[in-house]
Amino acid sequence: QIQLVESGGGVVQTGGSLRLSCAASDGTFSTYSIGWFRQVPGKEREFVASISRNGVWWNISNSVKGRFTISRENAKNTVYLQMNNLEPDDTAVYYCTADRDWPLAMSPAKFEYWGQGTQVTVSS
């Protein structure tokens, strides 16, 4: 069972940037595709981005396309979500998840493994 830990969240002004990290101590990390989702209270968890096992393929939600990018360093067992030009609507708890399939599903119900989440707050 892979264990995931998110970090890098915080408070930033509109137009600012943050880089989130999703790290795993599991030696099989490179065999998993990784996805980022986000959730605000009272709403379903929403797909943000995903990346294939070797980092060659990725998928970005239309709501963040052009502002967010996803990358990974398998040698460090880490996936990054670079978030630029942040907007107040990006405020949420961001979670990463893992699965051996590609492309990753965009429904959160398909996933078994989740990190604890990291809070991102964008002030106007």
Side-chain angles (χ1 to χ4, degrees):
Q1 176 178 344
I2 190 170
Q3 293 186 329
L4 304 168
V5 178
E6 302 94 336
S7 62
V11 180
V12 63
Q13 291 186 330
T14 297
S17 297
L18 284 173
R19 188 177 78 161
L20 305 184
S21 297
C22 172
S25 58
D26 195 302
T28 63
F29 179 78
S30 64
T31 67
Y32 288 91
S33 300
I34 302 294
W36 283 98
F37 286 72
R38 65 187 182 185
Q39 189 170 26
V40 298
K43 291 191 176 182
E44 186 179 64
R45 205 164 285 191
E46 171 193 26
F47 171 80
V48 176
S50 59
I51 191 165
S52 62
R53 291 180 291 273
N54 59 8
V56 172
W57 303 102
W58 60 90
N59 190 14
I60 306 288
S61 166
N62 286 335
S63 63
V64 303
K65 194 169 290 184
R67 300 187 297 120
F68 290 14
T69 58
I70 188 169
S71 61
R72 69 188 296 161
E73 288 188 75
N74 284 341
K76 295 184 178 180
N77 287 349
T78 303
V79 166
Y80 305 101
L81 184 69
Q82 178 67 45
M83 307 187 298
N84 298 328
N85 196 20
L86 283 160
E87 303 168 353
D89 283 349
D90 296 317
T91 295
V93 178
Y94 284 71
Y95 299 90
C96 63
T97 186
D99 195 85
R100 296 191 187 273
D101 287 340
W102 180 261
L104 281 186
M106 287 192 275
S107 169
K110 298 291 186 181
F111 298 98
E112 181 178 0
Y113 307 121
W114 295 94
Q116 84 290 347
T118 186
Q119 176 71 48
V120 171
T121 302
V122 184
S123 61
S124 56

